[in-house]
Amino acid sequence: MGLELQIARVSKNYNGNRILRDCSFAFGGGRTYVLQGPNGSGKSTLFRILALLERGDRGTVNYLDQSVVLEDNLALRRRLTLVLPRTGIFNTTVFKNVAYGLKVRGVDRATIEARVNDALLAVGLGHKKWHRALELSSGETKRLGIARGMVISPEVFLLDEPTVNIDPANTAMIEAIILKMKQERQATILMITHDPAQAQRLGDELIFMQDGKIVPA
Ligand SMILES: Nc1ncnc2c1ncn2[C@@H]1O[C@H](COP(=O)(O)OP(=O)(O)O)[C@@H](O)[C@H]1O
Ligand SMILES: [Mg+2]
């Protein structure tokens, strides 16, 4: 059922400092995994490795489809998305910001139009389509970042602190978007948060990181 992600004994050092230590876990099945842990414990580093943007120094990271290990990282990267806490927004319209990921993948115009509209509606930004992205509020900017991730219909969606530094109304909207993504698209979702109540609301599984180690709840 969809992509499965298995990591085994993944370690990572930066400048001789051990950031990740022997991290092993399995993700998949359209479940939502919520990762919590102190600043600097290695959560974002782990997410970059899971999103195949970076490699561990040791250990294995395997994506499987029906038990077959997928080797083509480029093809794989099209099936997953990492949304960062501060999304780099291009100085153009909201529409073009979301369309970008499809354009670089060579998707045709009509499909881009339809999918961008869907993604913008899903995050409540349909009415801001032709606004300049840099003029959005911080909550809207967060939702724009999520729309950019959603538009490629990822099977695995990684969200690094999707509601950090925004107000309760935007937080509630983003939680609703995440739940909908799980229910309607059967995406496997991994997210990082510092809010234990939010973790309880959204997570099928709660995971903790401490000093670069994964500690299951
Ligand atoms: N590219 C990098 N180069 C050097 N050190 C890094 C890099 N990325 C992260 N670190 C260090 O790794 C540690 C863990 O960082 P991070 O994964 O961002 O933690 P978290 O997301 O849990 O706050 C921190 O001490 C951070 O300074
Ligand atoms: Mg982080």
Side-chain angles (χ1 to χ4, degrees):
M1 176 181 156
L3 278 184
E4 302 278 327
L5 169 52
Q6 294 176 0
I7 59 169
R9 311 210 62 172
V10 171
S11 296
K12 178 81 184 173
N13 294 285
Y14 285 125
N15 317 316
N17 296 317
R18 295 187 72 188
I19 305 303
L20 297 179
R21 303 164 189 255
D22 276 339
C23 292
S24 301
F25 212 82
F27 305 91
R31 296 171 68 73
T32 299
Y33 300 81
V34 181
L35 179 59
Q36 296 171 267
N39 291 327
S41 57
K43 303 181 300 297
S44 295
T45 301
L46 179 65
F47 266 36
R48 287 194 302 277
I49 291 174
L50 298 180
L52 307 174
L53 299 176
E54 218 172 301
R55 296 177 65 102
D57 301 323
R58 280 186 288 128
T60 54
V61 173
N62 281 326
Y63 273 95
L64 296 88
D65 198 346
Q66 303 186 6
S67 306
V68 178
V69 176
L70 304 175
E71 305 282 1
D72 182 351
N73 276 8
L74 202 65
L76 254 179
R77 263 189 232 150
R78 297 184 170 183
R79 300 172 66 178
L80 40 103
T81 317
L82 170 61
V83 180
L84 296 170
R86 260 181 236 86
T87 316
I89 298 294
F90 306 120
N91 183 17
T92 177
T93 62
V94 167
F95 180 89
K96 282 191 180 165
N97 266 272
V98 180
Y100 179 78
L102 296 173
K103 221 172 156 186
V104 296
R105 287 170 170 84
V107 177
D108 67 87
R109 255 190 132 142
T111 309
I112 290 179
E113 178 90 25
R115 285 173 67 178
V116 172
N117 285 339
D118 274 356
L120 288 176
L121 280 180
V123 302
L125 287 177
H127 61 300
K128 295 270 167 106
K129 189 167 150 182
W130 303 118
H131 285 228
R132 298 209 73 78
L134 293 175
E135 290 168 6
L136 297 179
S137 72
S138 57
E140 289 169 339
T141 302
K142 279 275 195 204
R143 288 187 272 128
L144 175 60
I146 293 174
R148 286 212 306 207
M150 277 172 88
V151 80
I152 70 153
S153 296
E155 292 163 70
V156 176
F157 210 152
L158 299 119
L159 298 151
D160 191 341
E161 304 198 22
T163 61
V164 71
N165 292 333
I166 55 170
D167 63 50
N170 273 289
T171 299
M173 281 183 81
I174 288 171
E175 288 191 14
I177 294 163
I178 292 169
L179 280 174
K180 217 167 149 191
M181 220 141 53
K182 173 194 163 96
Q183 287 158 358
E184 291 181 4
R185 307 189 181 207
Q186 283 86 45
T188 295
I189 296 164
L190 281 64
M191 63 175 282
I192 296 171
T193 183
H194 287 290
D195 178 349
Q198 178 176 70
Q200 289 288 346
R201 285 193 293 274
L202 296 178
D204 298 311
E205 299 203 26
L206 306 186
I207 311 163
F208 294 86
M209 267 200 108
Q210 182 81 48
D211 300 328
K213 284 199 167 142
I214 293 180
V215 198

